[in-house]
Amino acid sequence: DQQVKQNSPSLSVQEGRISILNCDYTNSMFDYFLWYKKYPAEGPTFLISISSIKDKNEDGRFTVFLNKSAKHLSLHIVPSQPGDSAVYFCAASGAGGGADGLTFGKGTHLIIQP
Amino acid sequence: SAVISQKPSRDICQRGTSLTIQCQVDSQVTMMFWYRQQPGQSLTLIATANQGSEATYESGFVIDKFPISRPNLTFSTLTVSNMSPEDSSIYLCSVPRLDRAVTQYFGPGTRLTVL
């Protein structure tokens, strides 16, 4: 049973527009939610995180929104750039944060069209 | 930031054989994690390896199939034993990011194909 779900395997967005990647989870015990970006033949790299006590976190072009009642989070990238083309993974952890194992979704392949 | 290297980067193996994957970190860390990403699937935690103690395995993973060593604070190995085609995956190690405790650094991964 998947505890973290990314229901869109791929997403195509025009350069300069907003990219919105979605993630749903089922486990109410998750304390932290993270987004990772992965290029082929490389390991995932951390983008942004949010604590379960917050509903929004911003870092430059990246904003993560958390809706606890809906068990849903989203990553907004504005404006989208060609270098953003990658696979994006949503992940969650318990109270231990990085000291806990992470639970990942299957990923969404974001393609930025010129 | 921690720099993590893995060896080999990729390998093609015959069923029934074993492969040992190495993970080297450029700083001392207490905890290391091993993950597997099967084709089209999410990254799944295999085990947590603490230096000086036995690895802790997640449900569905057993020590006989995935023995782990953690001889010091910068190094770990994961062995995939008696391989079958279902073991074809990317195997990744990670360490907690000390300056931002909520996340982890990942190695580049080892792409394993079992024929």
Side-chain angles (χ1 to χ4, degrees):
Chain A
D1 180 36
Q2 265 208 298
Q3 297 186 65
V4 177
K5 298 178 185 179
Q6 294 177 257
N7 292 319
S8 299
S10 67
L11 174 67
S12 184
V13 175
Q14 234 178 347
E15 181 179 357
R17 300 287 186 106
I18 182 172
S19 296
I20 301 176
L21 296 98
N22 294 303
C23 178
D24 297 295
Y25 63 95
T26 58
N27 187 343
S28 301
M29 301 303 291
F30 287 137
D31 278 312
Y32 297 99
F33 302 92
L34 307 92
W35 285 94
Y36 280 83
K37 176 180 180 180
K38 187 180 185 300
Y39 294 118
E42 294 183 12
T45 54
F46 170 74
L47 272 178
I48 191 168
S49 65
I50 188 167
S51 163
S52 61
I53 62 173
K54 295 190 174 182
D55 55 18
K56 179 182 174 181
N57 188 28
E58 270 184 274
D59 186 358
R61 296 187 298 116
F62 303 93
T63 303
V64 56
F65 296 92
L66 175 62
N67 182 334
K68 280 190 69 176
S69 61
K71 293 190 175 69
H72 176 83
L73 63 153
S74 60
L75 174 68
H76 294 213
I77 306 173
V78 183
S80 300
Q81 299 174 352
D84 296 330
S85 294
V87 177
Y88 288 77
F89 289 97
C90 174
S93 72
D100 283 347
L102 300 175
T103 301
F104 282 85
K106 289 187 178 182
T108 296
H109 186 192
L110 176 64
I111 302 161
I112 305 301
Q113 306 277 7
Chain B
S1 63
V3 176
I4 304 174
S5 59
Q6 287 185 232
K7 289 182 183 179
S9 59
R10 58 175 60 225
D11 207 341
I12 300 173
C13 301
Q14 297 296 321
R15 68 171 67 208
T17 63
S18 297
L19 177 72
T20 295
I21 301 167
Q22 300 178 8
C23 179
Q24 179 77 51
V25 187
D26 69 344
S27 56
Q28 294 185 335
V29 292
T30 305
M31 305 179 75
M32 294 177 79
F33 302 95
W34 286 98
Y35 291 82
R36 176 178 77 178
Q37 185 185 16
Q38 293 177 301
Q41 302 298 313
S42 57
L43 281 77
T44 302
L45 181 66
I46 297 172
T48 302
N50 289 328
Q51 196 272 333
S53 63
E54 296 256 341
T56 303
Y57 289 83
E58 297 298 305
S59 175
F61 298 96
V62 295
I63 187 171
D64 289 346
K65 176 67 175 177
F66 297 101
I68 288 171
S69 79
R70 185 78 206 274
N72 57 54
L73 290 173
T74 64
F75 187 78
S76 179
T77 67
L78 170 77
T79 299
V80 186
S81 303
N82 188 23
M83 289 184 284
S84 67
E86 292 70 37
D87 294 319
S88 297
S89 299
I90 300 173
Y91 292 86
L92 303 108
C93 64
S94 75
V95 301
R97 183 169 167 175
L98 296 178
D99 60 333
R100 291 184 74 168
V102 300
T103 188
Q104 297 173 8
Y105 291 111
F106 281 83
T110 294
R111 182 178 291 272
L112 171 61
T113 301
V114 184
L115 302 177

